[in-house]
Amino acid sequence: MLRFARESLAIASAEMHKLVRDPTEMFSRAIQPVLWLAIFGQVFSRVRGIPTGNLNYLDYMAPGILAQSILFSAIFYGIAVIWERDLGIVHKLLVTPAHRSALIGGKALAAGLRGLVQAIVVYGVAVILKVNIRWEFLPILTAAAGVFIGSGVFSTFSLLIASIVKTRERFMGIGQVLTMPLFFASNAIYPLELMPDWLKSIAIFNPLTYLVDVLRGSMIVGGVSTFPVITSFGVMGLVFLILLALASKIYPGLAR
Amino acid sequence: MADPNDNNAIITVDLTKHFDQVTALDRLSLKVRSGLIFGLLGPNGAGKSTTIKILTTLLDASSGSATIAGFDVAKSPIEVRRRIGYVPQLLSADGALTAIENLNLSARLYGLHGGELKVRVSEALSFSGLDTVANKPVKTYSGGMIRRLEIAQATLHYPEVLFLDEPTIGLDPVARKTVWERLKDLRRSRRTTILITTHDMEEVDVLCDELAILDRGRLAVTGSPGELKSRLGAQASLDDVFVHFSGSVMEREGNYRQIRENRSAIHRLE
């Protein structure tokens, strides 16, 4: 266990060094939520058609957009391992006695930290747009924990896909194909109750739904979670462990 | 200890690998004595990379067995990994990290920590002659500096066996010589067994105590460079040996994918 932690931290700290040295990608990915909030959100808050309880629509969607920014940036995280495979870095890592799961877990840890930085950017944009942010310690901690584990889930999912498809071209195609369905089959910009039954039954298997639900209850004043927080974290945690186990099996295939 | 395997760092017995219909490696049986630099030669597609991948636990053999430093690669991969280092042909140092960061990463994955890690990393920096640039990103380094760093990364844990895939490909003559010096140094000071694949006959002459030539997945011949040359007559060069036993001329190009990867690796460094 101690060795697993050390190895994961070694991977994560290398990733963080890279991120600090070249944060362009992380910030460019933060532009998209700005557009969603500033344009889509502004327009749709004039429409009264979406039942958002006593929240205005912009407040309602802000947590959804934070979750979306986490999804959209984490889902392309896996491309880095395809890069690393083409170079030989994957081979170098895999000949070490380190746990395979630590190599994956370290990347997820780095993705989680990256997600937190993105969350700060989205909170900042939300403040500028006068979203009614809940400035209390425990809710902010809950939101941060959600962002952290959500980033881990989607980045590990991405890494798993990358390990299966192995080439940049196929990966980019699949990444594009996956993001929008994951986004729309969730409660990010409209509530579950509004969905037709078939979509709802997809949405409740979508981890993004649980991330949004946690954030909706913790990020904004008056926001309410549909599921108990413990359920949402339980679902995300379980999905993460399953993805971690699968990725640990399939990732070594990149070096073949 | 009367174990006859004691003197052999690498033993393969009937090692075979099929990819779909293709037999990449066909019943390879090899012994590499401890403390030697051993060259694995052969035209492209002869099975060199497949052999290295199996020996470094990256790939499973279809049949046959391989033992590294006394441990079976299929049964005890972790024990094998603790005892080997590997420098892939491609660029395995991370260009976005500094030499120190690269070394720290490898050291920690090899289970080093605390004071021991610090000592090994600083030792590795002076071994590779990179002390003065230790805090600069690797993408600013020359090809020779990167290779030396990669060798340092792969030997932080004092492996018993070191594998290098085409260690000096693409390097200028001066850089090649410094890499050769490092490898000879490892053989001398730590008695590391070193297995290299190469296309470079000068490299074999300078470096290798023994060599094996593979041809279409089979072992064509094995022996010391001197022995093999004398088999062909007094005037024979290693090029002649290679052509004679592998039945082909030296082919330097790889396939499309290898070329693309090599070039993109070079491109990334610029």
Side-chain angles (χ1 to χ4, degrees):
Chain A
M1 203 60 210
L2 183 63
R3 265 192 52 217
F4 176 86
R6 278 209 187 101
E7 291 160 3
S8 301
L9 281 173
I11 295 283
S13 82
E15 296 292 316
M16 294 323 282
H17 283 301
K18 286 193 253 185
L19 192 61
V20 169
R21 208 156 284 143
D22 184 12
T24 2
E25 196 239 351
M26 186 176 61
F27 284 111
S28 67
R29 293 216 183 272
I31 292 173
Q32 207 170 6
V34 176
L35 293 177
W36 276 89
L37 277 181
I39 299 171
F40 188 89
Q42 297 273 343
V43 173
F44 270 67
S45 53
R46 290 159 192 266
V47 182
R48 296 269 171 257
I50 301 174
T52 55
N54 46 8
L55 296 171
N56 75 49
Y57 186 67
L58 195 64
D59 285 5
Y60 177 83
M61 88 181 277
I65 297 306
L66 172 54
Q68 181 217 42
S69 82
I70 298 304
L71 167 69
F72 281 24
S73 84
I75 207 77
F76 291 106
Y77 196 74
I79 196 141
V81 303
I82 296 180
W83 217 176
E84 292 175 358
R85 167 192 190 235
D86 288 353
L87 289 172
I89 294 175
V90 168
H91 306 71
K92 176 188 74 181
L93 299 178
L94 284 170
V95 295
T96 69
H99 295 87
R100 271 60 194 132
S101 52
L103 302 178
I104 315 283
K107 298 241 181 217
L109 186 57
L113 296 172
R114 207 169 91 138
L116 290 178
V117 177
Q118 265 185 308
I120 293 171
V121 174
V122 176
Y123 262 71
V125 174
V127 167
I128 293 167
L129 295 172
K130 302 202 169 59
V131 169
N132 210 352
I133 299 282
R134 197 164 158 195
W135 296 112
E136 293 163 56
F137 179 70
L138 208 59
I140 287 182
L141 199 67
T142 309
V147 163
F148 187 76
I149 189 163
S151 302
V153 167
F154 294 115
S155 64
T156 307
F157 182 50
S158 172
L159 201 142
L160 177 64
I161 295 169
S163 306
I164 294 169
V165 303
K166 295 182 181 162
T167 71
R168 254 178 289 261
E169 296 76 10
R170 277 180 278 180
F171 178 82
M172 287 310 281
I174 290 180
Q176 304 282 8
V177 166
L178 281 174
T179 45
M180 279 305 171
L182 277 170
F183 178 49
F184 288 124
S186 83
N187 52 352
I189 52 174
Y190 33 70
L192 286 172
E193 305 86 71
L194 207 61
M195 295 180 185
D197 285 343
W198 66 268
L199 188 59
K200 200 187 287 178
S201 50
I202 296 174
I204 58 165
F205 288 104
N206 182 354
L208 189 67
T209 297
Y210 297 90
L211 174 57
V212 172
D213 198 58
V214 166
L215 295 176
R216 192 154 283 142
S218 57
M219 184 182 175
I220 43 170
V221 175
V224 194
S225 294
T226 310
F227 307 106
V229 172
I230 195 88
T231 309
S232 297
F233 277 103
V235 170
M236 288 192 283
L238 186 66
V239 171
F240 175 71
L241 289 179
I242 293 170
L243 290 170
L244 180 68
L246 286 174
S248 308
K249 284 271 173 261
I250 294 174
Y251 174 77
L254 281 175
R256 271 175 213 138
Chain B
M1 297 268 271
D3 188 341
N5 291 344
D6 264 0
N7 288 324
N8 290 312
I10 304 172
I11 302 168
T12 74
V13 180
D14 288 336
L15 202 60
T16 301
K17 180 68 188 179
H18 307 288
F19 291 105
D20 298 324
Q21 305 298 319
V22 185
T23 301
L25 200 59
D26 192 1
R27 288 164 290 155
L28 177 71
S29 295
L30 262 187
K31 281 187 179 145
V32 178
R33 276 186 291 135
S34 290
L36 295 191
I37 299 183
F38 191 93
L40 204 53
L41 282 72
N44 280 299
K48 305 188 295 289
S49 297
T50 305
T51 307
I52 277 210
K53 280 184 178 169
I54 294 172
L55 297 181
T56 53
T57 76
L58 293 176
L59 187 67
D60 295 327
S62 305
S63 62
S65 68
T67 311
I68 309 286
F71 290 91
D72 187 294
V73 291
K75 290 178 197 136
S76 325
I78 308 267
E79 294 303 325
V80 171
R81 288 180 198 133
R82 285 187 217 282
R83 288 165 179 82
I84 62 170
Y86 174 44
V87 181
Q89 178 187 342
L90 299 167
L91 193 66
S92 66
D94 198 321
L97 298 175
T98 66
I100 288 204
E101 289 161 358
N102 267 293
L103 288 165
N104 277 334
L105 173 61
S106 288
R108 291 162 80 181
L109 294 181
Y110 277 112
L112 298 166
H113 54 89
E116 196 184 17
L117 180 141
K118 286 210 181 85
V119 170
R120 294 285 180 98
V121 167
S122 76
E123 192 181 277
L125 279 172
S126 52
F127 168 79
S128 52
L130 296 171
D131 306 81
T132 54
V133 290
N135 286 308
K136 294 213 170 86
V138 168
K139 63 184 165 204
T140 63
Y141 291 11
S142 70
M145 290 157 83
I146 293 174
R147 262 295 179 251
R148 280 170 4 233
L149 171 62
E150 288 169 337
I151 294 170
Q153 268 188 281
T155 51
L156 279 162
H157 55 303
Y158 295 172
E160 291 174 44
V161 186
L162 177 63
F163 296 90
L164 302 100
D165 212 346
E166 304 272 2
T168 61
I169 198 163
L171 297 186
D172 64 59
V174 178
R176 274 166 74 206
K177 287 213 171 67
T178 62
V179 167
W180 290 340
E181 286 313 311
R182 293 299 174 280
L183 295 179
K184 286 181 178 173
D185 194 21
L186 283 172
R187 171 179 58 182
R188 188 173 49 237
S189 62
R190 293 194 204 140
R191 283 196 36 85
T192 309
T193 309
I194 300 174
L195 185 143
I196 64 169
T197 68
T198 184
H199 270 118
D200 181 343
M201 291 304 145
E202 191 191 347
E203 185 157 277
V204 176
D205 253 335
V206 172
L207 220 47
C208 295
D209 304 302
E210 276 184 29
L211 59 101
I213 297 177
L214 297 186
D215 178 32
R216 278 161 291 175
R218 295 210 178 98
L219 179 64
V221 71
T222 176
S224 72
E227 271 165 36
L228 296 185
K229 280 188 269 192
S230 64
R231 281 215 223 166
L232 293 191
Q235 302 299 314
S237 70
L238 274 174
D239 282 307
D240 300 329
V241 169
F242 185 85
V243 172
H244 179 83
F245 287 105
S246 72
S248 79
V249 288
M250 261 300 165
E251 171 72 68
R252 285 176 195 279
E253 309 294 317
N255 62 25
Y256 180 77
R257 190 178 146 194
Q258 286 166 342
I259 292 172
R260 196 190 69 173
E261 285 174 352
N262 285 338
R263 291 195 183 158
S264 64
I266 290 162
H267 184 72
R268 195 190 176 199
L269 285 176
E270 283 167 353

